[in-house]
Amino acid sequence: MNDAPTLFYFMKEQSGKIFDQLLQHIGLTFISLLFAVIIGVPLGIYISRKRKLAAPVLGITNVLQTIPSIALLGFMIPLLGIGPVPAIVALFLYALLPIVRNTYTGMNEVDPIVLESAKGMGMTTGQILRKVKLPLSMPVILAGIRTATVINVGVATLASYIGAGGLGEFIFGGIALNNTNMILAGAIPAALLAIFFDFILSRLQKLNVRKVRISFWLIPVCIVVLSSFYILPDFYRSKMLAGFTPEFMGREDGYLGLKKVYKLNIRTVVISDAVMYKAVYEKKLDVIDGYSTDGRLKAFDLKILKDDKGIFPPYYAAPLVRSEILAKYPELKSVLNQLSGKINDSVMTELNYQVDYLKRSPEQVAKQFLMERSLYKNPLIADKGTIRIGSKIFGEQYILAAMYSMLIRGNTHLKVETKTGLGGTKICFDALVNQQIDMYPEYTGTGLLVILQAPGAVIAKLGSNSEKVYTYVQSEFLKNYNLEWLKPIGFNNTYALMMRRKQADEKGIQRISDLVNYLNNK
């Protein structure tokens, strides 16, 4: 296996990309914060005067704050599509609560005696607001802006899920690729960014009252300047735009391989597979990566481009199990191998279609399949031990985990616990190695390239021979991790490039090479 580069070397090598993502992250944070200040401060002032409106306004902002970040981003997509705009709107909503609440609190904490004195001096309502209330409440307002800034820096890492860029691209790519250096290359700058801006705002917060007016105008100016660093992605001006998952962007059998072997040069945006398929269907993207057995191929009428230069290795699915579990419960191996050879590519695509598009539960789909193949049995009394089954966070893995759970319950006296939706490869594999789970479905190509990180010479020697790849990963996993690959299930869920079928046919694009030629001629 290759020696992993040090974090310093990795960050130095990726410094240009880290800098670009840092600027994007600053832009997302401060554009959203600017709107939150422009709207939140006046709103806080208004409800401090109209006390009856305070409870409902603060209640609404509280509710917005409780919505999970990724869910709020997901809600934005049907309304605003993908990219920076929905991310900025979501971050704006998150920043509202601390700004509105602190403005309201600061205004109400101004000493009534001071206000009476101002009125006695003949000041108008506007003068009292500008010369008395705002200066005295400014430290509290700044505390709210400070809190909102730190919140937005953290939440902005999730913006990469919807193609908005930022440091989240490294973080989620690293999780998917089992690359700790990549995770830290995104997490460390994000943490330092939060600490830096928190420090700057804390200094402003401590300015004396005479200088408050300067700081009040300084903050919007700084926000505008920092926001100008944000570079709107080139994909808005692109004739063709590709949306790739964080994992695909960093893999040799993904975008890196496409650039080396095919010389593919296309504008890209990093995006979660949860929204990628719908985005290409709605013509917000032109090309996406995906899996050859994904049910959304059928749902959205997508066409797989032929890999005519063979950069995608075989990805045959099989259960990956801890050896000590198989030694402790020897009956488990034959039970799990009942699925071997039972699911081919077309069958898996149909099963995925039922879950991903028809919205049937994975358990329903799994049970129906097992019953049709006479593999389903009613659960036996579980009085022997517990098997913990994990899965990654997409429909196919849920289906397979449910099938294995039913097979174990129906053929052994073992209890089953499922820990599904664990995220990418790194999370599942680490959970297995650290004995948090006992097994999960994995793919031979992922084992070869992501976990083992096999040398280029080995990869070239194995080529696209599925049996050789399986034999190699089976041997290396047992030797290095004491993990066993059981028999392959039968389908090859390899990576693929996809386009809308109608678009691909109109442009005469059937192979990846055709796509490259089309782009080069534009």
Side-chain angles (χ1 to χ4, degrees):
M1 292 185 292
N2 294 332
D3 292 330
T6 64
L7 175 61
F8 175 78
Y9 176 80
F10 180 84
M11 293 186 74
K12 182 180 179 181
E13 188 180 50
Q14 299 289 331
S15 59
K17 190 173 181 181
I18 292 173
F19 183 70
D20 288 343
Q21 292 184 6
L22 184 66
L23 294 182
Q24 291 176 346
H25 208 92
I26 292 173
L28 287 171
T29 299
F30 281 95
I31 290 176
S32 59
L33 189 65
L34 174 61
F35 286 113
V37 170
I38 291 173
I39 294 175
V41 172
L43 185 57
I45 293 171
Y46 184 74
I47 62 175
S48 70
R49 293 180 176 180
K50 306 288 184 180
R51 299 291 181 88
K52 291 182 180 180
L53 295 176
V57 169
L58 291 174
I60 291 171
T61 54
N62 265 309
V63 169
L64 292 173
Q65 191 74 233
T66 62
I67 299 174
S69 309
I70 194 66
L72 188 59
L73 288 168
F75 293 152
M76 295 292 109
I77 293 170
L79 301 174
L80 302 172
I82 61 172
V85 174
I88 289 169
V89 171
L91 291 170
F92 155 74
L93 294 175
Y94 266 105
L96 272 181
L97 175 61
I99 294 174
V100 173
R101 182 179 58 199
N102 279 42
T103 303
Y104 172 75
T105 302
M107 290 289 163
N108 288 332
E109 287 181 351
V110 176
D111 193 333
I113 296 176
V114 174
L115 296 178
E116 287 299 322
S117 299
K119 288 179 182 178
M121 293 172 64
M123 283 188 176
T124 64
T125 301
Q127 288 175 324
I128 292 173
L129 174 64
R130 293 192 306 273
K131 298 182 179 182
V132 179
K133 281 190 170 183
L134 273 177
L136 293 178
S137 61
M138 188 57 65
V140 180
I141 296 173
L142 284 172
I145 296 173
R146 183 179 169 186
T147 301
T149 302
V150 174
I151 290 172
N152 273 18
V153 170
V155 176
T157 57
L158 296 174
S160 62
Y161 267 124
I162 58 171
L167 292 165
E169 290 187 13
F170 267 122
I171 295 173
F172 296 113
I175 291 173
L177 290 166
N178 193 27
N179 189 328
T180 303
N181 287 338
M182 187 179 288
I183 297 172
L184 293 175
I188 291 174
L192 292 176
L193 202 62
I195 293 169
F196 174 73
F197 288 132
D198 183 61
F199 173 76
I200 295 297
L201 289 171
S202 71
R203 295 295 92 193
L204 290 175
Q205 195 175 345
K206 293 179 180 178
L207 289 177
N208 63 47
V209 174
R210 291 185 178 182
K211 294 182 180 179
V212 161
R213 184 178 298 177
I214 297 173
S215 70
F216 179 73
W217 293 110
L218 182 62
I219 291 171
V221 172
C222 288
I223 290 172
V224 171
V225 172
L226 288 168
S227 298
S228 68
F229 287 143
Y230 184 70
I231 304 169
L232 285 175
D234 287 340
F235 63 75
Y236 281 127
R237 300 186 294 273
S238 173
K239 291 183 179 179
M240 288 198 81
L241 170 65
F244 297 147
T245 61
E247 182 169 0
F248 188 81
M249 285 292 291
R251 294 177 66 133
E252 289 295 332
D253 64 328
Y255 186 54
L256 298 180
L258 289 171
K259 289 196 294 183
K260 289 179 182 177
V261 178
Y262 284 98
K263 311 301 181 186
L264 177 66
N265 183 20
I266 185 172
R267 289 190 174 96
T268 62
V269 56
V270 178
I271 190 169
S272 166
D273 65 340
V275 299
M276 182 174 62
Y277 285 88
K278 191 170 183 181
V280 72
Y281 178 73
E282 293 178 348
K283 300 182 180 181
K284 294 181 175 69
L285 296 171
D286 299 295
V287 181
I288 62 171
D289 71 277
Y291 301 112
S292 57
T293 59
D294 199 302
R296 289 166 290 192
L297 279 165
K298 175 180 176 180
F300 297 121
D301 194 25
L302 302 179
K303 184 185 190 74
I304 291 179
L305 303 186
K306 184 179 178 182
D307 176 21
D308 49 305
K309 294 186 179 180
I311 70 162
F312 300 134
Y315 277 76
Y316 282 90
L320 185 59
V321 192
R322 293 197 296 122
S323 296
E324 55 265 38
I325 289 296
L326 294 175
K328 187 175 182 180
Y329 306 113
E331 69 273 28
L332 193 59
K333 179 179 288 189
S334 61
V335 171
L336 296 176
N337 280 335
Q338 287 185 36
L339 274 189
S340 176
K342 296 294 193 299
I343 305 177
N344 59 27
D345 292 6
S346 60
V347 170
M348 195 69 245
T349 301
E350 177 59 30
L351 297 177
N352 286 330
Y353 172 75
Q354 292 182 40
V355 171
D356 293 332
Y357 190 71
L358 299 183
K359 304 304 179 186
R360 295 186 64 197
S361 74
E363 292 76 18
Q364 286 179 323
V365 173
K367 185 175 181 179
Q368 180 179 333
F369 173 84
L370 293 178
M371 292 181 71
E372 289 173 352
R373 268 64 174 184
S374 301
L375 294 174
Y376 182 81
K377 296 179 182 178
N378 291 324
L380 302 175
I381 296 173
D383 57 4
K384 190 172 180 180
T386 301
I387 302 298
R388 298 163 299 175
I389 302 176
S391 84
K392 301 180 189 182
I393 192 166
F394 56 94
E396 181 170 289
Q397 289 264 315
Y398 289 117
I399 296 169
L400 295 176
M403 287 183 184
Y404 286 126
S405 174
M406 292 173 189
L407 287 173
I408 294 171
R409 288 191 173 106
N411 292 277
T412 74
H413 292 280
L414 295 168
K415 181 181 177 182
V416 178
E417 290 181 2
T418 55
K419 297 185 178 182
T420 52
L422 292 178
T425 298
K426 178 174 174 55
I427 296 175
C428 274
F429 182 72
D430 285 352
L432 188 64
V433 171
N434 294 321
Q435 301 181 16
Q436 302 300 306
I437 58 175
D438 300 310
M439 61 167 288
Y440 76 96
E442 188 52 280
Y443 305 91
T444 54
T446 301
L448 176 71
L449 297 167
V450 178
I451 300 175
L452 293 176
Q453 297 182 13
V458 171
I459 296 171
K461 183 179 179 181
L462 297 174
S464 58
N465 188 304
S466 59
E467 292 185 6
K468 287 183 179 180
V469 171
Y470 174 78
T471 301
Y472 178 82
V473 297
Q474 186 183 44
S475 172
E476 292 297 309
F477 269 71
L478 188 59
K479 179 173 64 176
N480 293 309
Y481 307 113
N482 200 28
L483 300 175
E484 292 194 35
W485 288 80
L486 301 187
K487 293 181 180 180
I489 298 169
F491 65 90
N492 180 22
N493 190 7
T494 187
Y495 266 131
L497 285 193
M498 307 172 186
M499 295 178 64
R500 292 184 299 279
R501 184 177 300 278
K502 183 177 179 181
Q503 181 190 28
D505 291 343
E506 287 176 351
K507 299 182 183 303
I509 300 174
Q510 308 297 321
R511 309 171 302 160
I512 298 177
S513 292
D514 295 335
L515 173 64
V516 173
N517 292 334
Y518 174 82
L519 292 169
N520 290 339
N521 291 330
K522 285 294 175 180

